[in-house]
Amino acid sequence: MIFIDACLKKPTPYTPVWMMRQAGRYLPEYMAVRAQAGDFLSLCKDYRKASEVTIQPVEILGVDAAILFSDILVVPLEMGMGLKFIKGEGPVFDAPIKTQSDLDKLDSELAVKNLSYVYDTIGLTRQNLANDKALIGFLGAPWTLATYMIEGQGTKTYAICKKMLYSDPELLHRILDKVTTVCIGYAKAQIKAGVNAIQIFDSWAAALEESAFFEFSWSYILRIVDAIKAEFPDFPVIVFPKGISGYLDKISGNFDVFGVDWSTPIDLAKSDLSPRYVLQGNMEPTRLYSKRAIDEGIDEILSVMKGTPHIFNLGHGILPDIPVEHAKYFIKQVQEKSARA
C-alpha cells in the first residue's frame, strides 16, 4: 500500500494523495446513498451503506486511501449523550455536560461496545476495498469532543468550555480523561477490525492559547498515541491539530504523520517537523474551484516537499460544491506531477 509506505517513510513511486471528507456531499453517488439512509446518523449506523460511501471516492477519484465514513461525535453519542443533526445548525446535544453528575452518567466501557456498527463498517470495507488501497480509521481528539459535549453544539467563541477551563479546570480534566479512555478503546477496536492507519482530528485546537493547548489538548492526544503504540508499535498514527502554526517548534510525540492545515505554511511545518515526521497536506481546499489554482497549489507544495517524506492532502475537508471533475483532476495531477518530480 503506497499510503502506508509513505506513512512509514518508505520509498514510493509518487506522492500518495487522499482528501479529508472525500466521502461526502460533493459526490452525487454519496447523496443518492444518503437519501436512501434517511438522516446522517442513520447512514453512520448502517454499516453496509457506510461502507459503500467509504469506498466510493477510491473508485470514482482514484485516491490512494479510503477514510472510514463516520463522525467524531459517535463517541459521546454512544457514551450516552442524546445527539441530533439539525439542518442549518449541525450537531446538537440534548443535555450538555455542566457538572460532575452529568459526567458520571456517561459510560466509557459501554461506548466502545456500542460502536460495533463502526467495526462492522470497517470489516466490510476492508473486505471489499482493493488490497493496494489503505483504509484510514479516525477519531476526534478529546479536546474537540469535550468542547462539543460542554457547549452542546458547534461554537465560534468556545465561551462555555473555556469558562470551565479557567474556572473549573479539574472538572474539564476529568471530562477529558473519561473521553480519552473511550478514544483509546475505540482506536484499538478500529485497528482490530481492520483499519490500516488512524487519524486523530483536533479541529478546535486553535481555540486554545499555547499553555492551554499543551495541557488540555496535546497531552491527551499523546496519551491516545502512546496507548496505540504500546499495543501496535508499527501501526501508523496521524495527528491533525488544526491551526497551531505558532506552536509547531514545540511539537513532539510518538506519532508518524503530522497533518498540516492550509493556514500553516508548508515550509514552516517542514522546517519545524520534517524529517522527524511525515507531513500530510496542505492545499487550500477552495483551490479546487479552479484547475489553474489546483495546478499552482500542487506545484508549490511539491516544490517545497521534494525529497521529503510527504502525503498530499487538502489542508481541511473538501467543500460540498466542488465539481467532481475538479476533484478527479486534483488527484490525477498530484499522482502524475509527483511521479515526474
Side-chain angles (χ1 to χ4, degrees):
M1 295 178 186
I2 184 172
F3 173 81
I4 300 302
D5 286 346
C7 288
L8 301 176
K9 298 182 186 173
K10 295 179 181 178
T12 58
Y14 60 85
T15 302
V17 55
W18 66 284
M19 295 183 292
M20 289 178 280
R21 294 186 190 154
Q22 65 187 14
R25 289 176 288 170
Y26 72 102
L27 286 174
E29 294 86 350
Y30 165 84
M31 295 303 292
V33 176
R34 179 163 171 173
Q36 294 168 9
D39 59 70
F40 177 75
L41 274 178
S42 296
L43 178 54
C44 291
K45 291 187 174 187
D46 185 329
Y47 75 94
R48 291 184 178 86
K49 287 185 171 61
S51 176
E52 182 180 352
V53 297
T54 297
I55 294 173
Q56 282 176 348
V58 178
E59 297 178 339
I60 296 166
L61 307 179
V63 290
D64 293 298
I67 184 164
L68 169 70
F69 180 81
S70 187
D71 192 270
I72 63 169
L73 296 183
V74 295
V75 166
L77 169 69
E78 299 304 348
M79 290 176 76
M81 296 187 71
L83 173 65
K84 296 185 181 72
F85 282 80
I86 300 174
K87 192 169 184 177
E89 289 186 50
V92 177
F93 285 105
D94 294 344
I97 298 175
K98 294 184 173 70
T99 65
Q100 181 66 44
S101 175
D102 296 332
L103 179 62
D104 290 342
K105 294 172 186 173
L106 305 182
D107 192 321
S108 303
E109 289 185 18
L110 193 60
V112 177
K113 293 176 184 174
N114 285 349
L115 287 159
S116 58
Y117 52 87
V118 176
Y119 318 138
D120 290 340
T121 301
I122 292 167
L124 183 60
T125 302
R126 191 60 272 174
Q127 182 182 321
N128 292 328
L129 191 62
N131 290 335
D132 62 341
K133 302 291 186 179
L135 175 58
I136 305 166
F138 73 91
L139 56 146
W143 161 251
T144 289
L145 293 176
T147 302
Y148 270 110
M149 295 162 75
I150 294 162
E151 296 276 344
Q153 58 189 359
T155 174
K156 292 182 179 178
T157 64
Y158 312 92
I160 304 171
C161 192
K162 290 171 83 170
K163 179 182 178 182
M164 183 184 293
L165 188 155
Y166 293 111
S167 64
D168 193 355
E170 295 83 6
L171 176 57
L172 180 55
H173 274 303
R174 288 193 294 272
I175 295 169
L176 289 165
D177 185 71
K178 192 163 193 171
V179 172
T180 299
T181 298
V182 178
C183 286
I184 289 169
Y186 183 39
K188 289 181 177 181
Q190 287 190 43
I191 294 168
K192 290 170 183 173
V195 299
N196 307 109
I198 276 188
Q199 177 156 311
I200 303 170
F201 286 87
D202 201 359
S203 305
W204 288 346
L208 296 170
E209 62 178 328
E210 183 176 325
S211 60
F213 168 73
F214 284 102
E215 180 179 351
F216 293 93
S217 172
W218 189 244
S219 64
Y220 290 96
I221 290 173
L222 292 185
R223 273 180 53 185
I224 298 169
V225 172
D226 290 345
I228 292 170
K229 290 291 189 176
E231 189 167 341
F232 307 96
D234 299 321
F235 188 85
V237 179
I238 308 161
V239 296
F240 182 64
K242 185 173 178 286
I244 60 157
S245 59
Y247 318 152
L248 291 184
D249 59 335
K250 298 179 179 67
I251 290 293
S252 65
N254 199 21
F255 55 92
D256 303 281
V257 182
F258 187 90
V260 185
D261 70 275
W262 66 265
S263 70
T264 299
I266 193 73
D267 52 353
L268 174 65
K270 181 181 176 181
S271 67
D272 284 339
L273 297 171
S274 183
R276 282 184 297 149
Y277 306 106
V278 178
L279 298 187
Q280 178 177 274
N282 72 327
M283 198 166 85
E284 220 274 39
T286 55
R287 281 187 176 271
L288 266 66
Y289 289 118
S290 158
K291 287 187 177 180
R292 177 189 55 79
I294 290 171
D295 282 326
E296 290 173 353
I298 292 171
D299 289 344
E300 181 181 348
I301 292 169
L302 288 180
S303 174
V304 172
M305 295 305 297
K306 187 173 183 178
T308 307
H310 183 222
I311 295 163
F312 218 108
N313 205 317
L314 304 178
H316 202 237
I318 185 171
L319 297 161
D321 61 341
I322 294 293
V324 177
E325 178 194 350
H326 288 196
K328 290 180 181 177
Y329 181 81
F330 165 63
I331 300 302
K332 187 175 181 182
Q333 289 299 103
V334 169
Q335 293 167 338
E336 290 186 354
K337 285 174 179 282
S338 63
R340 290 195 296 267

